[in-house]
Amino acid sequence: MNKPMKYNIFHPDCPARVFFEKFADKWILLIIYKLSQEAQHFNQLRKSILGISPKILSQKLKILERDGFITRTVQEDSVIRVEYALTALGYDFADTAYQLKDWIELNLEKVMTSRTKFDAIS
């Protein structure tokens, strides 16, 4: 079993902070979720993630590819198409992201109720 490296996430120079900055992002999490269901082409992702612009989708896919979470495969048919798929690292991260998604869905009503109460007295 791999022993985790010792990082101090509370130190300002810790590389884990950069990871948090990138991956605690709504678009990254939604892309990971969609790709965990199946490999998809750029336009499939764009259409299935409502509200994301092509520019932002492209930027986020490059981040994920650079960090080893997805692969990008060019398919040359009559039209060149690019397919994106999760790597083993991407699937491992997706498992953790699913836990966060499930927690949010389970507790969202409580959060919304708390916000309403807070806003009523503010």
Side-chain angles (χ1 to χ4, degrees):
M1 177 181 253
N2 292 339
K3 185 176 180 183
M5 296 187 74
K6 295 187 180 181
Y7 291 106
N8 179 358
I9 195 106
F10 297 101
H11 190 279
D13 296 328
C14 181
R17 283 191 175 197
V18 175
F19 178 85
F20 273 169
E21 182 181 319
K22 282 194 261 181
F23 288 88
D25 175 278
K26 70 179 176 183
W27 299 123
I28 293 281
L29 293 172
L30 292 172
I31 293 166
I32 290 283
Y33 178 76
K34 287 296 184 180
L35 291 178
S36 70
Q37 296 172 330
E38 65 179 336
Q40 294 192 23
H41 300 286
F42 185 90
N43 283 328
Q44 286 176 295
L45 281 168
R46 187 179 56 77
K47 289 174 184 173
S48 68
I49 303 173
L50 301 177
I52 193 167
S53 71
K55 177 183 176 185
I56 296 297
L57 178 57
S58 180
Q59 289 172 351
K60 301 304 179 180
L61 289 169
K62 285 177 185 168
I63 289 168
L64 289 166
E65 183 182 11
R66 180 175 184 247
D67 288 346
F69 287 81
I70 65 170
T71 57
R72 179 182 185 272
T73 305
V74 177
Q75 300 171 335
E76 296 189 41
D77 296 328
S78 58
V79 177
I80 295 176
R81 295 175 59 160
V82 178
E83 183 177 77
Y84 297 93
L86 290 183
T87 62
L89 183 64
Y91 278 110
D92 189 39
F93 180 73
D95 289 341
T96 301
Y98 277 137
Q99 291 175 11
L100 179 59
K101 174 193 156 301
D102 290 344
W103 184 92
I104 290 168
E105 290 174 348
L106 183 65
N107 291 285
L108 189 56
E109 291 292 326
K110 294 173 190 170
V111 172
M112 299 303 288
T113 300
S114 181
R115 284 183 180 177
T116 301
K117 287 178 183 176
F118 182 89
D119 291 347
I121 60 173
S122 293

